[in-house]
Amino acid sequence: AALTAAEAAANVAVDFAALPEEKQAASTGPAARLLEEEYRAELDRLRVEMRRLSPNLKAIEQMSGVAETVQHASKEADAARRDIEEVERQFESVRRQRKER
């Protein structure tokens, strides 16, 4: 049968040896609750900081869309530049032909 959360927690043995002595002394009673609150507050602070630091995924998608638009506009500008150069060559050709007459 599956254990409830409380039953599972009762079966967990925590090794406090890695904690500093003052933290080990606060492993039971009111001191333990105070220490737990301190840790929870620190975890909450870290969660807030992580949310603040994590990139905005919509902004990344928007930047990708903008990059595609810029690339498309750049290709259109290049094509227009080539068209203008071709028209200028044709114009110069016609102008030279008229001068030669």
Side-chain angles (χ1 to χ4, degrees), residues 23-43:
K23 304 287 183 184
Q24 287 181 25
S27 64
T28 60
R33 283 190 289 280
L34 185 61
L35 187 60
E36 184 177 345
E37 287 176 22
E38 180 183 318
Y39 283 145
R40 288 189 190 281
E42 179 66 9
L43 285 171

Side-chain angles (χ1 to χ4, degrees), residues 15-86:
D15 180 12
F16 294 104
L19 292 175
E21 284 185 35
E22 67 272 3
K23 304 287 183 184
Q24 287 181 25
S27 64
T28 60
R33 283 190 289 280
L34 185 61
L35 187 60
E36 184 177 345
E37 287 176 22
E38 180 183 318
Y39 283 145
R40 288 189 190 281
E42 179 66 9
L43 285 171
D44 288 341
R45 184 191 69 75
L46 291 171
R47 269 191 215 98
V48 168
E49 187 174 340
M50 284 180 64
R51 274 191 229 111
R52 185 180 59 80
L53 295 175
S54 67
N56 182 342
L57 296 179
K58 282 192 175 187
I60 292 170
E61 290 173 10
Q62 289 172 348
M63 286 301 296
S64 177
V66 168
E68 288 174 18
T69 302
V70 167
Q71 187 177 20
H72 180 70
S74 178
K75 286 179 183 178
E76 286 182 349
D78 289 342
R81 200 174 300 113
R82 286 190 298 274
D83 290 346
I84 290 170
E85 290 170 357
E86 179 60 27

